């Protein structure tokens, strides 16, 4: 009995004393504080500059012999691509906050933070603003999903990041929360120019279509220098990309692909949709099939598997899935004839024979690059990659020969 | 020269004499861990050499308090007397590897990665030599203050209009204090 007491006493003591000990749990995260800049000061920064080397390439746009490359949040490189083996960087148009571009005639349409500007680029060395459309991309007033109501005389131009540590409780697990300081390639149908599949701008005849996170906006650009907003259709949340084909618009969103009829260009009319798990997805089409890359990422949804989906759209009002292929981390894609290219992130650039959409065959993988978007055009492939702008010749069956590389600095 | 040889011989003799007193020991415990969080369990084994009233060794084991984890540590002990049944002070210090398998997309994070942290214990134990046991062997009872710390790094891609989107990093830091009551045996 005495021995038992000796043993049990410390156990009892341990449990009684356990109340004296407190676990400490902390959570370290980043606080984002918005930085504003006077709107007129920002607009004054829009100007042509001498050509400069590519830093962080974003979206690409082909117009005639010119290649326009977005430098993320900084502007547009104007590249004379008459000879894809030797592209010549002609100039850089400084456009703060720029992510998307489209061109018609001598007019370049570009987003500038939440606004859209039209620039006369008849002389790329002296581009100038001809008009400004306000608040076309209100989502640029946000970081992630939290919006800031800001003064219309300012732009939200940056965020100051600061790490902070606070007590953490298992009950309130809020990882992934952000904290804010509230103080195709249309090889089949080239229209104005050719945008990559990741584009949010599309020029179809005399209309410019733009998507922001939850709406489709139509602009009359009969006079490109002064676009006039003619429609602003609220759609579902999560719109990402826009791709024109004939008199249809294919819209990629985090929830699916939507087809809109633009035979009446002022009022796009919903035709059909194809839903999938919540993922990030650009879409292209060749008229018979739509090709959608689904990038599993929690920034877009909860799906955990990245895929390429091929959807039969011969009956536009009844899209039907015909093929699903596992991918690594796909972004943009492009198609020319039976060849299909997928920018599969770190897994490289993949070229498929898509003669049979139900059983596409991998023909070639270009490893060692991290491609983001692609435009196949006249046997030449223009790739926007982390490494810069790379061009390939794919005119020889099964071959991709590197022609040139504008390396990032 | 002769002086040097004598010195080396002296050191060798001394080491030889010391080696004769050095005994291999294995301390093995199971324990209950009580703190602010839900109680956990612990199994530790330590192996080393005992020299007189001192013991040094290395150990490892399993610890379920808050998260399943695997401590690896060095251990030192000092017996307070020389007898069959003795109290001894014991301290362990090292690192702890947390085995955490979060489901994919747990709390919105793409990846969840745990990083090793500090592990430390200090306590008083009692060795009770039972009749059938040899000298130095015995049943153990101990009470310890025990500390375990680790970090969990969560990576979440941020939504952005123009991917590739940057990642957001967040870390959860755990500093756990508990009492450990242990029973075991030494061989």
């Amino acid at each position: 009995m005495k021995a038992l007491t000796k043993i049990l006493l410390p156990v009892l003591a341990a449990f009684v004393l356990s109340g004296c000990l407190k676990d400490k749990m902390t959570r370290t995260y980043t606080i984002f504080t918005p930085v504003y800049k006077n709107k007129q000061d920002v607009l004054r920064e829009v100007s042509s500059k001498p050509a400069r080397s590519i830093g962080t390439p974003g979206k690409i746009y082909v117009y005639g012999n010119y290649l326009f490359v977005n430098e993320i949040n900084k502007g547009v490189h104007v590249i004379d691509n008459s000879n894809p083996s030797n592209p010549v960087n002609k100039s850089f148009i400084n456009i703060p906050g720029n992510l998307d571009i489209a061109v018609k005639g001598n007019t370049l349409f570009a987003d500038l933070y939440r606004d859209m500007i039209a620039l006369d680029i008849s002389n790329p060395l002296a581009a100038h603003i001809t008009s400004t459309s306000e608040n076309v991309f209100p989502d640029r007033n946000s970081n992630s999903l939290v919006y800031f109501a800001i003064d219309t005389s300012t732009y939200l131009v940056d965020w100051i990041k600061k790490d902070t540590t606070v007590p953490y409780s298992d009950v309130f697990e809020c990882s992934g929360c952000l904290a804010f300081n509230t103080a195709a390639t249309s090889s089949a149908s080239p229209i104005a120019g050719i945008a990559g599949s990741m584009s949010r701008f599309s020029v179809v005849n005399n209309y410019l279509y733009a998507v922001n996170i939850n709406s489709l906006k139509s602009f009359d650009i009969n006079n490109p220098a002064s676009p006039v907003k003619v429609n602003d259709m609220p759609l579902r949340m999560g719109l990402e990309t826009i791709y024109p084909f004939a008199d249809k618009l294919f819209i990629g969103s985090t929830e699916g692909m939507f087809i809109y009829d633009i035979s009446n260009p002022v009022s796009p009319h919903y035709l059909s949709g194809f839903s999938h798990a919540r993922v990030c997805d650009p879409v292209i089409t060749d008229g018979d099939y739509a090709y959608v890359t689904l990038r599993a990422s929690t920034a877009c949804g909860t799906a955990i598997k990245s895929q390429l989906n091929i959807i039969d759209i011969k009956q536009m009002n009844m899209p039907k899935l015909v093929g699903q292929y596992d991918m690594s981390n796909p972004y943009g894609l492009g198609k020319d004839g039976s060849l299909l290219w997928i920018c599969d992130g770190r897994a490289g650039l993949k070229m498929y024979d898509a003669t049979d959409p139900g059983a596409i065959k991998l023909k070639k993988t270009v490893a060692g690059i991290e491609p983001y978007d692609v435009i196949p055009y006249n046997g030449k492939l223009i790739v926007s990659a982390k490494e810069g702008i790379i061009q390939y010749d794919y005119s020889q069956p099964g071959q991709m020969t590197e022609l040139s590389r504008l390396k990032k600095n | 020269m002769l002086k040097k040889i004598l010195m080396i011989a002296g050191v060798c003799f001394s080491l030889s004499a010391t080696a004769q007193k050095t005994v291999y020991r294995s301390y093995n415990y199971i324990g209950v861990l009580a703190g602010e969080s839900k109680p956990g369990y612990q199994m530790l084994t330590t192996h080393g050499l005992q020299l007189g009233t001192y013991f040094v060794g290395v150990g490892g084991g399993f610890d379920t308090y808050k998260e399943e984890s695997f401590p690896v540590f060095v251990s030192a002990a000092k017996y307070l007397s020389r007898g069959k049944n003795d109290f001894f002070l014991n301290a362990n210090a090292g690192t702890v590897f947390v085995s955490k398998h979060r489901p994919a997309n747990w709390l919105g994070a793409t990846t969840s990665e745990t990083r090793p942290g500090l592990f430390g214990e200090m306590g008083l134990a009692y060795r009770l030599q039972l009749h059938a046991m040899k000298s130095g062997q015995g049943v153990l009872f101990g009470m310890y203050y025990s500390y375990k710390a680790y970090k969990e790094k969560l990576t979440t891609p941020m939504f952005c209009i123009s991917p590739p989107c940057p990642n957001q990093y967040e870390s959860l830091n755990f500093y756990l204090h508990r009492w450990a009551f242990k029973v075991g045996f030494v061989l």
Side-chain angles (χ1 to χ4, degrees):
Chain A
M1 186 63 190
K2 202 175 173 183
L4 192 64
T5 308
K6 272 185 180 173
I7 294 168
L8 288 179
L9 207 60
V11 180
L12 191 65
F15 279 93
V16 170
L17 290 172
S18 68
C20 306
L21 295 180
K22 298 287 179 197
D23 292 335
K24 185 180 172 192
M25 289 175 271
T26 60
R27 174 175 163 238
T28 304
Y29 61 95
T30 308
I31 288 179
F32 291 80
T33 304
V35 177
Y36 302 105
K37 201 166 180 181
N38 182 278
K39 186 172 175 174
Q40 292 309 316
D41 291 344
V42 173
L43 289 172
R44 269 194 288 275
E45 290 176 27
V46 177
S47 60
S48 290
K49 305 278 182 190
R52 63 156 112 159
S53 53
I54 290 170
T56 311
K59 295 174 187 181
I60 46 181
Y61 196 91
V62 172
Y63 187 79
N65 286 330
Y66 280 90
L67 171 62
F68 297 86
V69 179
N70 158 245
E71 178 82 33
I72 292 175
N73 273 323
K74 290 184 177 164
V76 179
H77 297 275
V78 182
I79 295 161
D80 181 347
N81 201 34
S82 309
N83 178 6
S85 299
N86 185 26
V88 180
N89 203 339
K90 298 291 281 185
S91 70
F92 180 76
I93 305 172
N94 194 55
I95 309 173
N98 174 244
L99 298 174
D100 266 276
I101 43 178
V103 177
K104 188 187 179 197
N106 287 326
T107 303
L108 169 75
F109 303 98
D111 59 341
L112 182 149
Y113 298 114
R114 66 177 184 275
D115 292 345
M116 186 182 79
I117 55 172
L119 292 121
D120 183 338
I121 53 165
S122 48
N123 176 5
L125 295 172
H128 60 274
I129 297 176
T130 56
S131 79
T132 304
S133 304
E134 295 194 335
N135 215 29
V136 177
F137 304 102
D139 38 295
R140 294 296 296 275
N141 292 347
S142 77
N143 189 346
S144 193
L145 298 174
V146 178
Y147 282 72
F148 287 80
I150 61 172
D151 183 348
T152 53
S153 66
T154 62
Y155 287 121
L156 195 168
V157 298
D158 204 358
W159 300 90
I160 295 171
K161 298 174 188 174
K162 190 181 172 189
D163 283 351
T164 187
T165 299
V166 296
Y168 163 79
S169 152
D170 279 327
V171 180
F172 177 67
E173 287 182 323
C174 191
S175 147
C177 293
L178 285 171
F180 292 91
N181 185 349
T182 53
T185 355
S186 30
S187 50
S189 173
I191 306 159
I194 302 170
S197 60
M198 301 295 285
S199 182
R200 290 183 305 148
F201 282 9
S202 180
V203 173
V204 182
N205 302 320
N206 288 320
Y207 288 85
L208 168 72
Y209 298 94
V211 287
N212 74 331
I213 199 162
N214 63 348
S215 70
L216 170 63
K217 295 163 202 290
S218 314
F219 292 86
D220 180 338
I221 53 169
N222 274 293
N223 176 10
S226 294
V228 178
K229 188 159 82 173
V230 290
N231 199 351
D232 189 347
M233 275 174 63
L235 303 181
R236 289 184 183 186
M237 283 293 286
L239 306 183
E240 295 175 312
T241 63
I242 186 167
Y243 189 85
F245 187 86
D247 60 351
K248 307 288 185 295
L249 283 182
F250 290 74
I251 295 174
S253 88
T254 55
E255 293 184 352
M257 168 202 80
F258 308 112
I259 306 173
Y260 280 79
D261 184 314
I262 49 170
S263 46
N264 175 2
V266 177
S267 298
H269 166 69
Y270 176 78
L271 270 185
S272 61
F274 178 83
S275 296
H276 51 60
R278 274 179 64 81
V279 285
C280 292
D281 68 327
V283 54
I284 62 164
T285 181
D286 57 13
D288 291 330
Y289 296 93
Y291 302 82
V292 185
T293 54
L294 312 179
R295 188 174 72 260
S297 149
T298 50
C300 311
T302 53
I304 55 171
K305 206 169 184 182
S306 291
Q307 285 184 336
L308 165 70
N309 280 1
I310 302 182
I311 300 146
D312 185 339
I313 51 160
K314 289 196 269 297
Q315 287 183 286
M316 288 270 183
N317 55 349
M318 288 181 62
K320 193 170 65 181
L321 183 69
V322 293
Q324 275 183 315
Y325 305 91
D326 287 349
M327 292 287 151
S328 174
N329 189 30
Y331 285 91
L333 68 170
K335 187 166 185 286
D336 188 8
S338 61
L339 294 176
L340 174 70
W341 289 268
I342 309 281
C343 297
D344 203 8
R346 287 181 187 164
L349 176 66
K350 294 176 177 172
M351 181 172 79
Y352 290 88
D353 177 353
T355 308
D356 176 4
I360 64 170
K361 296 183 185 81
L362 181 64
K363 302 295 283 185
K364 194 171 177 66
T365 300
V366 180
I369 61 170
E370 201 172 330
Y372 162 64
D373 205 1
V374 61
I375 296 177
Y377 179 61
N378 280 346
K380 307 288 186 295
L381 192 73
I382 303 165
V383 182
S384 173
K386 196 175 175 185
E387 293 74 16
I389 299 296
I390 310 167
Q391 300 196 58
Y392 298 90
D393 182 332
Y394 63 89
S395 53
Q396 299 300 315
Q399 298 295 314
M400 279 176 67
T401 311
E402 186 172 323
L403 292 174
S404 61
R405 186 178 287 222
L406 287 167
K407 289 183 185 170
K408 66 179 285 185
N409 57 10
Chain B
M1 185 66 181
L2 184 64
K3 208 173 175 182
K4 280 185 183 174
I5 291 170
L6 285 174
M7 268 178 70
I8 292 167
V11 169
C12 289
F13 176 78
S14 155
L15 285 174
S16 161
T18 303
Q20 285 172 7
K21 294 175 189 171
T22 304
V23 184
Y24 166 77
R25 291 275 176 237
S26 161
Y27 288 77
N28 306 280
Y29 298 97
I30 56 171
V32 178
L33 301 164
E36 190 181 16
S37 300
K38 189 179 157 192
Y41 303 92
Q42 186 188 60
M43 287 176 71
L44 297 181
T45 180
T46 308
H47 302 266
L49 299 173
Q50 187 156 349
L51 178 61
T53 57
Y54 290 94
F55 168 84
V56 289
V58 293
F62 183 65
D63 180 328
T64 68
Y65 186 83
K66 191 80 179 165
E67 295 292 346
E68 288 180 1
S69 55
F70 301 92
V72 179
F73 53 87
V74 292
S75 180
K78 167 75 173 91
Y79 280 85
L80 301 181
S81 61
R82 285 172 181 266
K84 280 186 170 182
N85 306 322
D86 308 313
F87 280 100
F88 62 95
L89 293 169
N90 182 202
N92 301 324
T95 188
V96 62
F97 299 90
V98 176
S99 146
K100 183 173 254 185
H101 300 287
R102 297 288 194 197
N105 290 328
W106 179 76
L107 290 173
T110 308
T111 58
S112 158
E113 177 194 337
T114 48
R115 303 223 164 144
L118 285 175
F119 174 81
E121 293 187 315
M122 204 162 65
L124 181 67
Y126 184 71
R127 182 186 64 189
L128 178 66
Q129 187 180 325
L130 301 179
H131 294 300
M133 291 178 157
K134 294 178 185 170
S135 172
Q137 297 182 340
V139 177
L140 304 170
F141 305 95
M143 190 170 158
Y144 291 70
Y145 161 74
S146 178
Y147 174 78
K148 176 167 88 167
Y150 59 91
K151 280 188 180 184
E152 187 172 4
K153 187 179 177 188
L154 307 171
T155 306
T156 310
M158 288 172 68
F159 178 84
C160 68
I161 293 158
S162 188
C165 303
N167 286 327
Q168 180 206 352
Y169 301 100
E170 182 179 342
S171 69
L172 304 178
N173 315 300
F174 297 87
Y175 311 97
L176 309 175
H177 306 268
R178 58 267 170 94
W179 294 110
F181 175 73
K182 304 183 184 186
V183 294
F185 58 91
V186 53
L187 295 175

